[in-house]
Structures are given as C-alpha cells and as structure tokens.
C-alpha cells in the first residue's frame, strides 16, 4: 500500500515538473525578439563596424554570405536586394524623438532628427544626410522610372531614394526604409 502511495506522489511530482517546463516554454521571448538579440550581440562584437562619424570613410566590404549572417531577413532584403518596406509599416516613419539614425548594417551615422520632416509618404523622410559623403547616389531606371537611389556611403547598402520635392533649405526628400535604420535618442 505504501508503495502505491509513493508511486502516486512520484507521478504528481513528474506532472508538476512537466507543467512548469511548459510554462517556461510559453514565457520564452518570441522568435523575432530572440533573433534581434542575437543580431545585437553579433554586432556588438563585430569589430568591422568602425566609427559612427568617421572623418575619412573606409568602405566595408563583405560577401553576401557574411551579410546574411549579420542582417535580419528584412534588412538583407532591403539593403542587399534593393527591397522596399510597405509604407506606414516600417520603423521610424512616425518617430518624432530627437536623436540620430544609423545604418543597421555598418553603424555609420546617416541622418539627424532635426532634418526629418513629415512627408506623408509613410517612410522616414529627411532633407539632408549628416555628411554628403555618408550617403552615396546611384541612378535607378527600374520600372521605367528615372530615380536616384541612395546607398550607405560605407557599406553600399540600399537605403531608399532621393527626390527633389523636399522642403527648404535643400529642397530634397530622402525617402528612406526605416527597417534598415537604427535610431539612438539623444541623452
Ligand atoms: Zn552602412
């Protein structure tokens, strides 16, 4: 009889353990969050990132395989395959905080919040980059349009396009994919 009671308790203990393990699985961070943490850790230890405001730009060159290792699927699609996020769905299009926007691939400082303006397009829009050489330009004739593509001056990643219908003082509108930017608020 004692043995039956003993086995009964052992079963209960096993059941409780199984339950608590299940709870732990549920409490685990969502996949996206885990992925972001992994990438943040990779970037923190990536010595190739270089300075954020370099006086002299030195190109960051990696193989496509290396880029895939450090970028999220979405970042890779935009930066390396000239993708575009859907309007009003990306990061920062509605961000009004004061701070600096960096390239998520190489860490170069690209835009300051003072030059950000409300364009109504659903993408973060700026009237000028931090330094002219920090943002490169390329002609883009895709889809029969004659547009000017803008790329990161250091890693050549695709950022978006620049148009000449922006506000003063430059009259330019840098239409940028928010999902490839990393924003850091001023302290
Ligand atoms: Zn870059």
């Amino acid at each position: 009889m004692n043995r039956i009671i003993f086995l009964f308790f052992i079963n209960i203990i096993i059941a409780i353990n199984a339950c608590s393990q299940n709870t732990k699985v549920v409490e685990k961070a969502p996949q996206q969050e885990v992925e972001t943490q992994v990438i943040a850790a990779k970037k923190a230890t990536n010595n190739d990132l270089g300075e954020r405001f370099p006086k002299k730009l030195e190109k960051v060159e990696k193989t496509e395989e290396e880029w895939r290792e450090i970028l999220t699927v979405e970042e890779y699609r935009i930066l390396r395959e000239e993708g575009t996020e859907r309007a009003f769905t990306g990061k920062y299009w509605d961000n009004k905080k004061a701070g600096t926007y960096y390239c998520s691939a190489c860490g170069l400082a690209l835009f300051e919040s003072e030059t950000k303006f409300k364009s109504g397009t659903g993408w973060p829009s700026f009237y000028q980059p931090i330094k002219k050489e920090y943002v490169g330009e390329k002609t883009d004739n895709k889809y029969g349009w004659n547009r000017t593509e803008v790329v990161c001056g250091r890693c050549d990643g695709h950022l978006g396009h620049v148009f000449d219908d922006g506000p003063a003082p430059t009259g330019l509108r840098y239409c940028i994919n928010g999902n490839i930017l990393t924003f850091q608020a001023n302290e």
Side-chain angles (χ1 to χ4, degrees):
M1 189 61 186
N2 274 348
R3 197 164 165 228
I4 290 170
I5 291 171
F6 176 71
L7 285 175
F8 177 70
F9 276 111
I10 289 287
N11 271 334
I12 286 184
I13 288 165
I14 289 170
I16 288 171
N17 267 341
C19 277
S20 61
Q21 271 164 15
N22 274 344
T23 317
K24 270 178 208 150
V25 171
V26 171
E27 279 169 1
K28 232 171 71 178
Q31 190 54 39
Q32 177 85 36
E33 213 173 288
V34 171
E35 194 193 338
T36 310
Q37 284 164 4
V38 168
I39 284 158
K42 273 184 190 171
K43 282 181 181 169
T45 55
N46 184 351
N47 294 324
D48 293 342
L49 280 186
E51 281 179 73
R52 304 204 131 186
F53 298 89
K55 281 206 178 77
K56 191 173 169 286
L57 265 190
E58 279 172 28
K59 291 277 182 193
V60 169
E61 283 174 26
K62 291 182 192 292
T63 63
E64 292 311 303
E65 204 173 292
E66 287 169 329
W67 282 124
R68 276 184 202 277
E69 272 176 31
I70 63 163
L71 300 173
T72 64
V73 171
E74 171 74 344
E75 286 170 343
Y76 186 89
R77 187 181 71 82
I78 296 170
L79 287 161
R80 310 304 312 173
E81 299 179 330
E82 293 167 36
T84 304
E85 71 202 19
R86 268 199 302 137
F88 303 101
T89 65
K91 294 195 286 180
Y92 311 133
W93 66 271
D94 201 22
N95 184 26
K96 295 179 182 73
K97 290 183 189 147
T100 307
Y101 294 85
Y102 299 92
C103 169
S104 292
C106 77
L108 183 67
L110 299 174
F111 299 98
E112 294 285 8
S113 56
E114 292 97 87
T115 64
K116 190 173 189 283
F117 66 95
K118 190 177 177 182
S119 63
T121 59
W123 289 284
S125 304
F126 306 87
Y127 62 74
Q128 73 181 23
I130 286 177
K131 275 191 182 182
K132 190 104 184 79
E133 65 266 32
Y134 283 5
V135 174
E137 293 184 4
K138 287 180 182 176
T139 306
D140 177 0
N141 290 318
K142 263 203 304 284
Y143 312 117
W145 295 0
N146 190 3
R147 296 186 296 174
T148 305
E149 178 192 355
V150 286
V151 296
C152 172
R154 185 156 64 187
C155 71
D156 280 336
H158 172 80
L159 306 174
H161 291 88
V162 60
F163 302 92
D164 59 7
D165 57 6
T170 62
L172 297 173
R173 172 170 61 93
Y174 287 82
C175 183
I176 306 297
N177 288 283
N179 287 345
I180 51 82
L181 295 173
T182 299
F183 176 74
Q184 211 160 51
N186 291 341
E187 287 174 9

